[in-house]
Amino acid sequence: MTTTGILLLAILILGFLITFQIAKASEYVSVLKGEKKAFEQNNRINAFLMVVFLVLGLVGVWWCNKMLYPKTLMPYPAASEHGKNIDTMLMITIAITGIVFVITQVLLFWFAFKYQHSEKRTAFYYPHNNKLEVLWTTVPAIALCVLVGFGLFYWFRMTGDAPENAMQVEITGKQFGWIYRYPGKDNTFGKKYYRNIDEATGNQLGLLWTDTTIIKKDRDNNPVGEAKLKADPAGFDDLVDNTAMYLVKGVPVKLIINSRDVIHDVGLPHFRLKMDAVPGTPTTMWFTPQYTTEEMKKITNNPKFEYEISCDQMCGNGHYSMRGVIKVVTPEEFILWKAKMKPAYAIAFPAPEAAKPAADSTGAAAGVKDTLKTVASSHK
Ligand SMILES: [Cu+2]
């Protein structure tokens, strides 16, 4: 037995002895004072303690709330349009349950004090009342139905079809981190196949960059046939990144959520959203960021503020390290960032120097400016 074990056992035995001694002592007191007097005294003390518990308990609730409230996300506005609705729903739920909590606690302890044992009173036998039963079953049931109804409504909206002008971002969970993918100029994600995943060649997602032949095998590893997969040119311009997810303020974003290995969960606390990342079953949700990261730094008065992606599913022993970052930027900043990014295909298969067009910085800059104008006009 360890020292801690012995110590715990000693404390337990000591506690038992003290309780036993107190019980014995109060027994002697009642013998000395007389049964009746001792009972009356205990009755009064217990009734008084009920009021003490009530007051201390309510003060404790208020104090904990005051202390911990600034540490929650509640003092700051939700960073998405959906989030505002979720916050309203949460506040209504807290208000209803809060009122019920205070009323029931006050009644419970106050009644225990007020109706303490007395010689002058006899208990009234009141076993059943149909009206009351119906009332306290239907009222909470209706209140819960309304709350659940609102919850379902918001859930269907956020998992439903994204608006026409939504940008698409694919986020894939892996042990332990996130992979972000953006469609290139064609605005289409290239096809991928999990057996093509190869970190060594930079193909983190298993994109179909070349024609591949897959040998199908049975349980005993004997080849039973083959499948030919054609390279998908739509994936040649896809941008793949691990550092941060870039989103644009005011532009709806449709997240396509995947996992490469086990079940992860894309948790976006500032946007009040979360969704499981399931291997083999892509899930989606959409939202519209309301404030850029820079604006949020001012709102939260925290110069180090970053939007966070947390993995909300225990996914292995590196789970804690899955904190991802979202950068919400202006349309102009987004285009500049995208222009700087190189497609994963181009990184894996660098074109020979001679084949590259001559460096034309003015041309590239003009291209970016043109796109800036288009984005600025389409999001006004
Ligand atoms: Cu995870």
Side-chain angles (χ1 to χ4, degrees):
M1 199 184 237
T2 59
T3 354
T4 332
I6 295 170
L7 204 71
L8 279 175
L9 195 71
I11 291 172
L12 215 70
I13 293 172
L14 204 68
F16 176 73
L17 280 177
I18 291 172
T19 323
F20 183 74
Q21 290 301 331
I22 290 175
K24 264 269 177 257
S26 61
E27 213 173 284
Y28 293 140
V29 169
S30 61
V31 169
L32 289 173
K33 276 189 183 169
E35 234 10 276
K36 195 166 174 250
K37 209 166 175 205
F39 170 77
E40 277 171 358
Q41 200 179 16
N42 278 346
N43 187 46
R44 268 200 306 278
I45 291 173
N46 282 339
F48 173 72
L49 282 179
M50 288 290 169
V51 180
V52 174
F53 277 133
L54 170 66
V55 174
L56 285 184
L58 289 180
V59 169
V61 167
W62 171 81
W63 185 64
C64 283
N65 186 55
K66 195 176 153 68
M67 265 212 332
L68 299 174
Y69 185 76
K71 290 187 182 172
T72 67
L73 291 174
M74 297 304 282
Y76 312 113
S80 72
E81 276 172 29
H82 293 157
K84 284 183 182 144
N85 295 330
I86 304 278
D87 277 2
T88 314
M89 200 172 74
L90 193 65
M91 288 319 287
I92 293 173
T93 312
I94 291 176
I96 294 175
T97 49
I99 291 168
V100 172
F101 170 79
V102 173
I103 292 176
T104 48
Q105 295 306 299
V106 170
L107 286 184
L108 195 66
F109 287 102
W110 177 249
F111 273 37
F113 169 76
K114 191 165 189 287
Y115 298 109
Q116 58 181 278
H117 174 82
S118 161
E119 290 284 320
K120 294 169 211 149
R121 271 198 301 267
T122 47
F124 174 57
Y125 185 64
Y126 190 71
H128 191 78
N129 184 321
N130 274 337
K131 258 188 203 164
L132 273 180
E133 293 279 349
V134 169
L135 194 74
W136 66 51
T137 310
T138 46
V139 170
I142 291 168
L144 282 176
C145 279
V146 171
L147 289 176
V148 171
F150 273 110
L152 279 178
F153 175 72
Y154 294 140
W155 173 255
F156 286 136
R157 229 177 59 172
M158 132 203 164
T159 54
D161 291 335
E164 288 272 303
N165 64 334
M167 61 184 268
Q168 294 189 67
V169 184
E170 184 196 71
I171 174 167
T172 305
K174 63 162 184 177
Q175 284 176 318
F176 294 97
W178 303 102
I179 308 163
Y180 315 108
R181 178 160 73 130
Y182 300 79
K185 283 197 187 100
D186 56 359
N187 217 11
T188 314
F189 285 113
K191 288 199 188 82
K192 53 185 186 169
Y193 186 64
Y194 74 98
R195 285 216 196 161
N196 272 358
I197 292 171
D198 188 356
E199 295 274 356
T201 58
N203 199 352
Q204 297 187 66
L205 294 168
L207 293 170
L208 293 174
W209 284 337
T210 49
D211 294 344
T212 328
T213 309
I214 308 286
I215 314 263
K216 290 181 178 170
K217 289 177 178 171
D218 66 5
R219 255 189 227 176
D220 303 320
N221 229 12
N222 301 316
V224 288
E226 55 177 43
K228 285 196 190 309
L229 293 172
K230 278 222 154 281
D232 184 9
F236 291 177
D237 60 354
D238 287 4
L239 307 173
V240 179
D241 187 36
N242 297 73
T243 48
M245 177 153 71
Y246 278 76
L247 302 178
V248 185
K249 177 189 168 177
V251 177
V253 50
K254 178 184 173 188
L255 282 189
I256 300 156
I257 300 160
N258 280 285
S259 169
R260 226 175 63 168
D261 34 47
V262 298
I263 296 180
H264 299 276
D265 189 299
V266 179
L268 308 174
H270 302 100
F271 302 99
R272 314 287 194 258
L273 296 165
K274 80 190 220 64
M275 174 70 83
D276 275 358
V278 186
T281 310
T283 43
T284 62
M285 63 179 175
W286 73 273
F287 61 99
T288 312
Q290 292 276 290
Y291 310 103
T292 62
T293 302
E294 289 304 315
E295 284 169 345
M296 244 354 221
K297 282 180 183 171
K298 279 177 204 141
I299 292 171
T300 56
N301 214 359
N302 174 10
K304 287 186 188 154
F305 177 85
E306 292 285 7
Y307 285 115
E308 182 183 296
I309 306 173
S310 57
C311 181
D312 288 355
Q313 191 77 255
M314 272 296 285
C315 59
N317 52 12
H319 164 73
Y320 67 92
S321 62
M322 283 191 72
R323 181 180 189 268
V325 168
I326 298 178
K327 304 239 182 229
V328 178
V329 294
T330 59
E332 291 80 6
E333 284 170 325
F334 184 72
I335 285 158
L336 286 175
W337 168 79
K338 215 172 172 183
K340 270 190 236 152
M341 292 287 290
K342 241 183 165 186
Y345 179 79
I347 298 168
F349 302 99
E353 279 302 313
K356 272 189 190 166
D360 181 6
S361 55
T362 47
V368 168
K369 266 185 196 162
D370 282 350
T371 345
L372 274 179
K373 273 183 210 157
T374 343
V375 169
S377 56
S378 64
H379 292 303
K380 254 173 198 168

